[in-house]
Structure formats: structure tokens, C-alpha cells
Amino acid sequence: MTTTENPTAHGSGNAATDKFKSERATSDTSVERAAAIYKDMLEALAGIVHKHEVTYDEYRVLKQWMIDVGEYGEWPLWLDVFLEHEIEEVHYNRKHFTGTKGSIEGPYYVPNAPKLPSKCTMPMREKDKVAPPLIFKGKVTDLEGNGIPGATVELWHADEDGFYSQFAPGIPEWNLRGTIEVDEDGNYEITTLKPAPYQIPNDGPTGWFIKSYGGHPWRPAHLHLLVSAPGKRAVTTQLYFKGGEWVDDDVATATKPELILDPETNSDGIAEVTYNFALDPEA
Ligand code: MBD
Ligand code: FE
């Protein structure tokens, strides 16, 4: 894992690339399907080149940029920000799911986070507590609303500086990461921190790309979740905060109206919100 003095796109990119490579990707795509996708892909690219009369200089800049993205380890970042949301939407629609909506996984998921009881506080440092606490509670159910006792809620999110443990130096390995085991009724009550709006790493080629078209690198404040249960489709999703900055202009196009939290202040003066997850049966 790359460690440097200051977190950089290069450092987090290399960490994300190493993590992705640790499980070699495969798919059972047929030759016929590969041929159809390849043909359409080249046709789409040809259409762009002709429509915009792409120049030789632009072509060479593209080639250089693609080399740079690889060398900085930023393919997981770039692909998850700019393409994953389309894959996720197709996946959900094709299987006719009706349970809780998914959203993109992004580059910073790590499996096997330490187990935590149904009522728990996320692992955090003293310095993380400058962020306001958030009580996040609810129930994991089937499509009929029955609680699922064996379910787990994996939660991971950035600290107040926008860094994810294992992808920036100097953060304890499992900081703000956990696998929460729901109680016998499917309930959980997690105390964590309200995350802040988040800039994707932008001091490397993904950032140059965004700058080149006058865009911004911001994502709304978000929680990442992976909710699983025996015999159910696991849902990877994200939750956002009502009225938050960038909710309507996410660089990763990963928000959905069904995924927006609206916490209320409880009698202890702490932000608290209930969100239930309904899981589809296994496909
Ligand atoms: C993130 O935290 C994230 O959620 C996505 C989708 C891309 C980059 C960083
Ligand atoms: Fe994220």
C-alpha cells in the first residue's frame, strides 16, 4: 500500500488499484456478445471522432492521458466516477428488483471489516469527533417487511477531511468501517459521524480531466453501505442528506431520490435518522 506524507490521488489511486487487482476480474461473456459490444463501442468512438473532427493533437493528448491514468493507478477512480452508475442502473432494471435502490460501490470498499453488534459506535479517532455525531438506525427486511435476523450492514465512509481508511496514509486500518450484525428482529442502531461533502482525489489525471471541461470534483456527503442476508440479493448503495451541497450535482451521478436521509435532532440534541432496507430475493 502506498504511503506518502500527504494523501494524493496517486497514493489513493495505487491503493485502489492494488485492492482491485487482488481479486482478478472474470466474466462469462460469450464471443458473440463480446463481438456485438466491441462493434458498438468502436462505432460510438468513430461517431465522436467524426462529429467533433478530433485532431491529431487531441488524439495524442488522449493517449498520454490514458497512460497517465494507468500509471497513477486511477482507473478504478475514473471508471467508478464516470461509468459505474450506468452499469448499476442497468443491473437493477434488468433483474426487475423492487427492494432498496442500489448505488455505485466506488473505489474504496474493503470486505471483511470487523464485526460490530447491532447497537454500536463506529471505530473513530478522537480527532474525527470534530464532525457532528449521527445516529443511523433501522431494520433490514424482506420485501414483505419481515425483519431478517441474519443480515449484516457494512458501512464505510470518509472522515471529516474526506479521507477513507486504507486509502490515505496515517489512518487506523478500519477507521469508520464496520460490519454490523443486526439483532434478532433485523434492527440496527449505529452511532457514527455525519460525513462532509467530498471532493474526489483531483490532483492527478482524473482531476486534469475534470478541469479540461470546466467541471467540479465534488460529491455530496455520503454513507456507503452493503446490506446482505442469507438467501437475499445483497444491495450496495449510498445514502445522502436532504438539502446537502452537491446532492443535485454529483460528479459521480450516483444520487437517487429514494436514497436521501433527513435526520432530526433527538432529545439529546443529536442528529438521528431511521432508514430501513428491503432486500430482494436472491436472483
Ligand atoms: C468516493 O468516495 C466515491 O464514493 C466515489 C464514487 C468515487 C470516488 C470517491
Ligand atoms: Fe465515497
Side-chain angles (χ1 to χ4, degrees):
M1 192 146 297
T2 306
T3 48
T4 50
E5 281 284 295
N6 291 304
T8 59
H10 201 173
S12 60
N14 279 332
T17 293
D18 288 348
K19 191 217 33 166
F20 185 80
K21 278 166 53 181
S22 69
E23 206 171 309
R24 189 147 190 96
T26 60
S27 113
D28 58 2
T29 310
S30 68
V31 171
E32 292 73 24
R33 180 171 162 81
I37 292 173
Y38 151 87
K39 180 169 170 282
D40 282 356
M41 190 175 95
L42 288 192
E43 250 173 49
L45 287 173
I48 294 165
V49 169
H50 284 266
K51 178 176 172 187
H52 298 282
E53 298 187 341
V54 172
T55 66
Y56 248 103
D57 282 349
E58 289 166 342
Y59 172 68
R60 281 190 282 261
V61 166
L62 172 67
K63 201 189 265 186
Q64 181 65 59
W65 177 80
M66 293 183 84
I67 292 167
D68 292 340
V69 173
E71 287 183 354
Y72 277 69
E74 286 190 31
W75 281 119
L77 175 65
W78 192 91
L79 286 165
D80 291 352
V81 168
F82 292 102
L83 190 58
E84 190 188 353
H85 63 99
E86 301 290 348
I87 308 284
E88 192 279 321
E89 185 186 326
V90 168
H91 169 78
Y92 188 93
N93 293 343
R94 190 173 56 177
K95 302 273 179 75
H96 307 289
F97 294 130
T98 60
T100 300
K101 296 269 188 190
S103 184
I104 65 175
E105 178 179 305
Y108 301 145
Y109 170 65
V110 185
N112 305 314
K115 288 179 178 165
L116 298 169
S118 62
K119 184 165 179 179
C120 65
T121 298
M122 293 294 280
M124 64 180 79
R125 300 162 294 179
E126 246 348 272
K127 67 166 286 216
D128 293 318
K129 296 179 186 167
V130 300
L134 172 72
I135 297 172
F136 175 72
K137 61 184 195 177
K139 195 183 191 96
V140 181
T141 74
D142 61 19
L143 294 181
E144 287 73 49
N146 307 302
I148 310 177
T152 57
V153 177
E154 290 172 72
L155 172 64
W156 70 103
H157 66 86
D159 67 16
E160 65 287 357
D161 296 323
F163 300 125
Y164 285 83
S165 58
Q166 304 190 35
F167 297 91
I171 304 176
E173 190 173 19
W174 298 104
N175 205 55
L176 299 174
R177 294 179 183 274
T179 301
I180 295 92
E181 299 186 298
V182 303
D183 72 11
E184 62 278 7
D185 300 314
N187 292 314
Y188 53 88
E189 181 176 329
I190 306 162
T191 300
T192 190
L193 301 169
K194 190 160 181 257
Y198 174 85
Q199 289 189 67
I200 64 164
N202 56 61
D203 60 319
T206 300
W208 310 336
F209 171 82
I210 291 168
K211 209 172 265 161
S212 74
Y213 64 78
H216 71 74
W218 289 95
R219 300 209 61 220
H222 58 280
L223 302 170
H224 289 274
L225 298 126
L226 171 52
V227 182
S228 316
K232 302 295 173 203
R233 175 187 79 113
V235 63
T236 299
T237 194
Q238 299 187 34
L239 293 169
Y240 307 92
F241 296 89
K242 190 176 173 186
E245 252 186 311
W246 312 107
V247 168
D248 300 317
D249 188 16
D250 177 7
V251 65
T253 325
T255 64
K256 297 180 187 182
E258 299 87 348
L259 301 178
I260 300 196
L261 301 173
D262 189 9
E264 289 180 8
T265 306
N266 71 14
S267 52
D268 298 325
I270 295 172
E272 182 171 320
V273 68
T274 299
Y275 193 89
N276 301 323
F277 295 95
L279 299 185
D280 286 277
E282 213 156 42

